[in-house]
Amino acid sequence: MCGIVGYIGTQNAVPILMEGLSRLEYRGYDSAGVAIMSPQGTKVFRQVGRVRELEAALPGRLSGRAGIAHTRWATHGPVTQANAHPQVSQDRRVSVVHNGIIDNADDLREALASRGAVFASETDTEVVAHLIALASAATLEDAVLEALRSVTGTYALAVTDERHPDRIVVARNGSPLILGVGDREMFVASDLSALVRHTTSVVHLDDGEVACVTASGYRTFSRDATDIAKLPTRIDLDLADVDLAGHEHFMRKEILEQPDSIERMIRGRLDERFGAVRLDGLNLTPRELRGFRRVKMLGCGSAYYVGQVGAQMIEDLARMPADAEPASEFRYRNPVIEPDTLYVAVSQSGETADTAFAVREVKRKGGQVVGLVNVVGSTIARECDGGIYLHAGPEIAVASTKALTHMAIGFAMLALVLGRVRDLSISDGQRIVAGLQRLGDQIGSVLADEARIADVAGALAQAQSLFFIGRVRGYPVAREGAQKFKEVSYRHAEAYQASELKHGPLALIDEELPTVAIVPDDELTGRNLAAIEQIKARNGRVAVVTHPGVPASAGEAWRITVPKNEPELDPILLTVPLQLLAYHAARALGHDIDKPRNLAKSVTVE
Ligand code: AGP
């Protein structure tokens, strides 16, 4: 979704802002723009399309010591140059970049118009620029505070004013915003990846906070102008994490990183002797863990599908009822929050608006919610009562891969914790710990089969429509496989429980519609093979994702084999070839793999 970057200091802001914008491209956007505080006044440039097109449109001599820039993902008003940010006041003195949605923009627009304001765009953001320019306050900080008093909605804002060229004022409410502290320079960004090249010293703003940033430092305060002291923290991120490092695409880079990133996640957390796991961040004592009677996962999209994997793990290992629900639905249905249910919010970015709202709904009603989150210090991570950091490293490709694998491992660890305070024996705990320790190498051997998986992907990419089927533990794997395939290949891919095929979807099977079948070596193998036979009988072609030793069914056209782990952990390994299938199908079709059309990396709007 939208991205913000800002700079003030001793260097030319233009290349810094453009580099920052290119680091935010992965979030998804449709237009971009920049405002530079040059010696000749504020210069604003906006462009529909890619950051490189904006860069090409900038005059070569453009320079200034401060500026703000933005990538826009349209919400109010179509994708046009006029609607791109920065939005400016009528006198062009004030420039504003904004992530989020101003809920009362229409009312404010009407009120401003009655005072003679003329609008140049259809955006909600433009009203903020007008309000700030019309404020009676003497300083930019006070003008922003005055404007915010009439604004309702969500925002991360960065504001410049020609009358105050020595400062950028920023404000946060419901959309992330981070300050980067440099040497006689300061940075502003909506995402750490835009800062990592310049500084590792950052300040996370909280909702309701405003900051005035100058070349020599920053001052943070609340919306009622009370000073809030905030010290910088160090981030553990290096440039290699957000660079392609010779890879053609981030999606493939991130798939290949999994054996190493998993090692980082489990190191120091597993206890082989007691078949247990240490998750200090949960902030729950064994007695409190024992007190929960149910577990509910809340996440969106792929995070919700991994939540289903996690629910199954918890039922298997802790024998507690567990289920997953899309956070985007949960938050709207006035859910009953039970005091003896443990709620688990799962999110790579930690900024997904629907999941963050679901967390607040649980907390508002007195429930206990922990997070499975990748981005340290993100909104969801901070709002949960405790949690498990995923340590997957930055994930840049819009289509999530390694973060989902880490989520599934996080759920396995949570299941182990809940299981070991109940009836899971030491030996069963040790079996799962050993399984987790094998995962990295086993994923490595799936990745070594990439060339063959790419061949299968090339064949599947020719179909306009595909089914992914699985049963019980294999069903969320199928859902995620279909999701990944459709996100990057733009083919229609639909997941079904293998058991449900005969109740309707079988009508669609013919030689044009292939099926990817998840067939683990478990108590349901025979039934899965029977479903494949039914497909074959309708001339359907089947790609079977399975374990060594599972007998070949007459119906199978392609076979992909993954190593067997423990049954509870098998879904983790079975998902990996599906990541490569999606990647190579999209590559064969020549798509923009890391930035699929219409999608954004973190969905921070409703
Ligand atoms: C995954 O490939 C998708 N891009 C999407 O479904 C994603 O998982 C979902 O939007 C949730 O994002 P989060 O993990 O950052 O909360």
Side-chain angles (χ1 to χ4, degrees):
M1 300 244 126
C2 305
I4 288 176
V5 54
Y7 173 80
I8 186 159
T10 51
Q11 306 184 59
N12 180 7
V14 178
I16 294 172
L17 294 177
M18 297 316 294
E19 196 264 346
L21 282 190
S22 66
R23 301 252 170 225
L24 298 179
E25 287 197 278
Y26 79 98
R27 296 173 63 91
Y29 70 106
D30 43 50
S31 48
V34 61
I36 299 294
M37 310 285 277
S38 83
Q40 295 77 37
T42 308
K43 304 284 177 208
V44 176
F45 298 88
R46 295 183 290 229
Q47 193 73 34
V48 168
R50 293 291 182 209
V51 169
R52 61 174 176 272
E53 292 165 63
L54 171 69
E55 203 162 5
L58 299 181
R61 59 188 186 291
L62 181 68
S63 98
R65 303 277 173 239
I68 52 177
H70 191 257
T71 48
R72 173 176 188 248
W73 195 82
T75 55
H76 280 60
V79 182
T80 62
Q81 199 171 31
N83 289 338
H85 299 200
Q87 287 293 311
V88 294
S89 57
Q90 206 162 321
D91 59 5
R92 306 191 65 77
R93 176 168 62 79
V94 173
S95 302
V96 177
V97 293
H98 167 218
N99 294 352
I101 293 176
I102 306 298
D103 293 335
N104 59 342
D106 291 345
D107 296 343
L108 293 171
R109 187 176 269 265
E110 219 171 277
L112 286 162
S114 69
R115 291 166 66 189
V118 178
F119 291 91
S121 80
E122 295 161 76
T123 64
D124 51 345
T125 307
E126 191 182 358
V127 300
V128 181
H130 282 260
L131 286 170
I132 295 169
L134 292 172
S136 56
T139 66
L140 179 58
E141 306 81 298
D142 287 343
V144 170
L145 290 177
E146 193 177 321
L148 291 182
R149 278 198 277 279
S150 9
V151 165
T152 59
T154 56
Y155 48 80
L157 289 168
V159 184
T160 61
D161 182 343
E162 253 173 27
R163 288 200 305 211
H164 307 282
D166 63 336
R167 62 199 54 208
I168 300 172
V169 174
V170 300
R172 171 186 166 142
N173 190 45
S175 208
L177 203 56
I178 307 156
L179 311 181
V181 183
D183 179 15
R184 289 181 301 139
E185 57 186 2
M186 286 287 300
F187 305 84
V188 172
S190 53
D191 187 316
L192 281 178
S193 55
L195 299 179
V196 66
R197 181 146 182 247
H198 307 285
T199 180
T200 53
S201 174
V202 302
V203 178
H204 289 273
L205 291 189
D206 286 308
D207 283 348
E209 291 180 349
V210 182
C212 177
V213 177
T214 64
S216 53
Y218 63 94
R219 184 170 75 85
T220 41
F221 41 98
S222 65
R223 277 187 301 221
D224 63 9
T226 310
D227 279 333
I228 301 170
K230 292 194 85 124
L231 291 175
T233 52
R234 293 253 150 235
I235 47 164
D236 179 21
L237 196 66
D238 72 55
L239 202 52
D241 292 333
V242 294
D243 266 348
L244 272 170
H247 290 271
E248 192 182 348
H249 299 105
F250 279 108
M251 184 176 174
R252 180 165 179 273
K253 175 181 181 240
E254 288 157 7
I255 293 171
L256 298 186
E257 278 170 359
Q258 292 177 106
D260 290 340
S261 65
I262 288 170
E263 180 55 36
R264 193 168 59 226
M265 179 182 186
I266 62 176
R267 194 183 306 139
R269 282 173 158 170
L270 300 180
D271 179 342
E272 294 165 28
R273 189 156 164 235
F274 291 104
V277 62
R278 280 181 292 271
L279 296 175
D280 297 338
L282 279 180
N283 298 331
L284 291 167
T285 63
R287 189 179 290 269
E288 286 166 331
L289 285 164
R290 177 95 219 171
F292 294 114
R293 295 171 63 87
R294 302 178 60 85
V295 186
K296 185 163 193 86
M297 325 304 175
L298 300 168
C300 294
S302 293
Y304 155 58
Y305 301 142
V306 193
Q308 290 191 309
V309 171
Q312 187 65 50
M313 287 171 170
I314 288 169
E315 289 210 356
D316 283 343
L317 296 173
R319 300 304 297 146
M320 295 170 75
D323 71 341
E325 182 174 342
S328 49
E329 288 284 292
F330 176 87
R331 59 173 287 205
Y332 287 112
R333 65 171 179 79
N334 190 18
V336 176
I337 302 298
E338 295 154 316
D340 53 3
T341 297
L342 176 64
Y343 294 86
V344 185
V346 55
S347 173
Q348 186 286 129
S349 61
E351 301 295 350
T352 301
D354 286 322
T355 312
F357 271 93
V359 167
R360 286 170 206 147
E361 183 69 6
V362 173
K363 293 188 75 175
R364 197 175 296 124
K365 292 178 171 171
Q368 178 102 32
V369 57
V370 296
L372 245 70
V373 176
N374 193 34
V375 177
V376 175
S378 56
T379 303
I380 295 170
R382 285 184 293 154
E383 291 194 14
C384 285
D385 300 312
I388 306 171
Y389 273 123
L390 300 176
H391 297 299
E395 192 179 68
I396 306 293
V398 166
S400 188
T401 53
K402 64 172 177 172
L404 301 175
T405 302
H406 281 238
M407 286 174 192
I409 293 172
F411 279 124
M413 290 178 166
L414 181 63
L416 203 49
V417 165
L418 291 165
R420 291 290 287 118
V421 296
R422 289 179 173 73
D423 299 329
L424 191 74
S425 65
I426 289 194
S427 62
D428 263 334
Q430 287 167 331
R431 178 175 66 78
I432 298 300
V433 166
L436 287 169
Q437 287 167 330
R438 286 200 300 278
L439 273 177
D441 285 346
Q442 289 183 316
I443 289 182
S445 77
V446 177
L447 300 178
D449 206 17
E450 182 177 3
R452 232 175 42 77
I453 297 172
D455 286 345
V456 180
L460 294 177
Q462 303 312 310
Q464 292 301 321
S465 198
L466 298 93
F467 280 177
F468 283 70
I469 60 167
R471 210 181 273 260
V472 189
R473 290 191 193 107
Y475 176 55
V477 175
R479 294 189 89 182
E480 171 49 22
Q483 165 98 333
K484 207 86 310 151
F485 206 90
K486 73 179 84 150
E487 279 188 299
V488 292
S489 76
Y490 311 152
R491 296 302 198 212
H492 169 236
E494 204 168 351
Y496 283 105
Q497 289 101 338
S499 53
E500 280 290 301
L501 269 190
K502 57 186 177 299
H503 296 294
L506 215 45
L508 292 174
I509 296 284
D510 62 16
E511 61 282 2
E512 302 295 325
L513 190 145
T515 298
V516 178
I518 315 303
V519 187
D521 182 5
D522 61 13
E523 63 285 2
L524 296 170
T525 309
R527 295 192 183 280
N528 280 320
L529 294 177
I532 293 172
E533 293 301 331
Q534 289 172 4
I535 295 169
K536 179 63 187 165
R538 276 87 185 166
N539 297 324
R541 293 169 301 151
V542 184
V544 181
V545 179
T546 189
H547 289 134
V550 168
S553 125
E556 73 186 54
W558 307 275
R559 167 170 281 232
I560 296 167
T561 315
V562 308
K564 177 101 184 80
N565 197 294
E566 299 302 325
E568 299 88 341
L569 303 180
D570 279 335
I572 303 172
L573 280 156
L574 289 161
T575 305
V576 176
L578 305 185
Q579 301 170 344
L580 286 171
L581 264 190
Y583 171 79
H584 283 287
R587 194 168 179 276
L589 293 165
H591 293 165
D592 188 353
I593 295 180
D594 288 334
K595 297 186 270 295
R597 69 183 183 203
N598 306 338
L599 298 181
K601 182 63 181 167
S602 66
V603 184
T604 50
V605 294
E606 296 177 38

